[in-house]
């Protein structure tokens, strides 16, 4: 008898397989097998593998999207530097897990196109965090805590690009270890970015 409901087992199995063997090789058949259910049961909960991937991102990975939404609604609860540090920390963790999942897509151009089309239809994709951070920074501009002259889209791209690059660069390093701890990286990145936009 299973202790977890089928949907939870499916999402857990998808998360584990997407992390260990990549999105391309984590077929619905393999996911269903790992979840100890049929492929038909998987499709009862998820219309496609892409929908399952988006569910894994939102339910099993660091909560970057909800954090950005919350900060955009309530920008003044903490300092801009504290908020940017928290965003950088969550983004670095998020990309650390999504990079190994999605990297396999780049080896299969046809599958990558299909995946991108499906994400577009669902109204999501890798551009969403940049848009979310841009919206947060614009809310800080409106509150007078970020310079009116600051290019918020460029700032969002710089911060999130640095977090994604950290995941990419050190995943390939011999010891797979970044030169500085995550909290130090996030604080330094936030402080440096804020110097340019405050």
């Amino acid at each position: 008898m299973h202790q977890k409901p089928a949907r939870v087992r499916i999402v857990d199995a998808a998360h584990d397989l997407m992390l260990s063997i990549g999105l391309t090789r984590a077929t619905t058949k393999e996911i269903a097998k790992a979840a100890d259910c049929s492929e038909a049961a998987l499709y009862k909960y998820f219309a496609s593998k892409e929908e399952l991937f988006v569910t894994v991102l939102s339910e099993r990975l660091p909560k970057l999207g909800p954090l950005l939404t919350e900060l955009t609604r309530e920008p003044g609860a903490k300092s801009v530097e504290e908020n940017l540090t928290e965003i950088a920390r969550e983004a670095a963790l998020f990309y650390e897990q999504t990079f190994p999942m999605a990297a396999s897509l780049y080896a299969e151009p046809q599958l990558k196109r299909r995946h991108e089309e499906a994400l577009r239809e669902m109204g999501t994709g890798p551009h969403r965090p940049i848009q979310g951070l841009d919206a947060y920074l614009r809310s800080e501009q409106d509150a007078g805590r970020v310079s009116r002259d600051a290019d918020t889209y460029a700032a969002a791209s710089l911060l999130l690009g640095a977090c994604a690059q950290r995941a990419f660069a050190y995943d390939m390093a011999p010891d797979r270890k970044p030169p500085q701890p995550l909290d130090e990286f996030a604080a330094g990145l936030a402080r440096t970015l804020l110097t340019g936009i405050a």
Side-chain angles (χ1 to χ4, degrees), residues 4 9 17 34 48 74 77 84 88 168 172-173:
K4 293 181 183 176
R9 292 196 323 271
L17 284 170
S48 65
E74 300 285 334
L84 288 175
F168 172 75
M172 314 247 329

Side-chain angles (χ1 to χ4, degrees), residues 60-100:
R60 296 295 184 274
L61 269 57
K63 307 291 188 218
L64 181 58
L67 172 62
L68 292 169
T69 301
E70 176 190 330
L71 291 175
T72 301
R73 268 188 254 160
E74 300 285 334
K78 292 188 237 175
S79 73
V80 178
E81 187 173 336
E82 288 172 309
N83 289 339
L84 288 175
T85 299
E86 187 177 357
I87 292 165
R89 187 178 192 295
E90 288 299 305
L93 290 170
F94 179 81
Y95 291 123
E96 191 176 287
Q97 288 194 43
T98 55
F99 176 72

Side-chain angles (χ1 to χ4, degrees), residues 6-7 24 29 32 38 43 55-56 61 64 68 74 81 83 86 98 107 121 125-126 150 155 184-186:
R7 185 188 182 282
T24 304
K29 184 177 182 174
S38 67
Y43 283 112
T55 301
V56 167
L61 269 57
L64 181 58
L68 292 169
E74 300 285 334
E81 187 173 336
N83 289 339
E86 187 177 357
T98 55
E121 285 174 18
E184 192 179 312
F185 166 80

Side-chain angles (χ1 to χ4, degrees), residues 56-191:
V56 167
L57 294 182
S58 65
E59 294 182 13
R60 296 295 184 274
L61 269 57
K63 307 291 188 218
L64 181 58
L67 172 62
L68 292 169
T69 301
E70 176 190 330
L71 291 175
T72 301
R73 268 188 254 160
E74 300 285 334
K78 292 188 237 175
S79 73
V80 178
E81 187 173 336
E82 288 172 309
N83 289 339
L84 288 175
T85 299
E86 187 177 357
I87 292 165
R89 187 178 192 295
E90 288 299 305
L93 290 170
F94 179 81
Y95 291 123
E96 191 176 287
Q97 288 194 43
T98 55
F99 176 72
M101 288 182 184
S104 61
L105 282 174
Y106 288 86
E108 309 250 356
Q110 216 174 0
L111 185 61
K112 182 177 177 285
R113 273 194 302 280
R114 193 188 89 209
H115 180 75
E116 288 168 349
E117 286 168 14
L119 292 183
R120 268 194 297 278
E121 285 174 18
M122 287 185 267
T124 191
H127 62 288
R128 300 293 290 190
I130 297 171
Q131 291 174 338
L133 181 49
D134 178 39
Y136 161 67
L137 290 171
R138 281 186 279 114
S139 71
E140 291 289 12
Q141 269 183 328
D142 294 342
R145 299 191 331 158
V146 165
S147 168
R148 282 265 165 234
D149 303 357
D151 182 336
T152 56
Y153 187 82
S157 299
L158 287 167
L159 186 138
L160 294 175
C163 293
Q165 179 61 26
R166 182 179 194 268
F168 172 75
Y170 296 106
D171 188 60
M172 314 247 329
D175 61 359
R176 298 175 66 109
K177 189 174 179 201
Q180 60 187 165
L182 176 58
D183 289 339
E184 192 179 312
F185 166 80
L189 182 56
R191 196 170 40 254

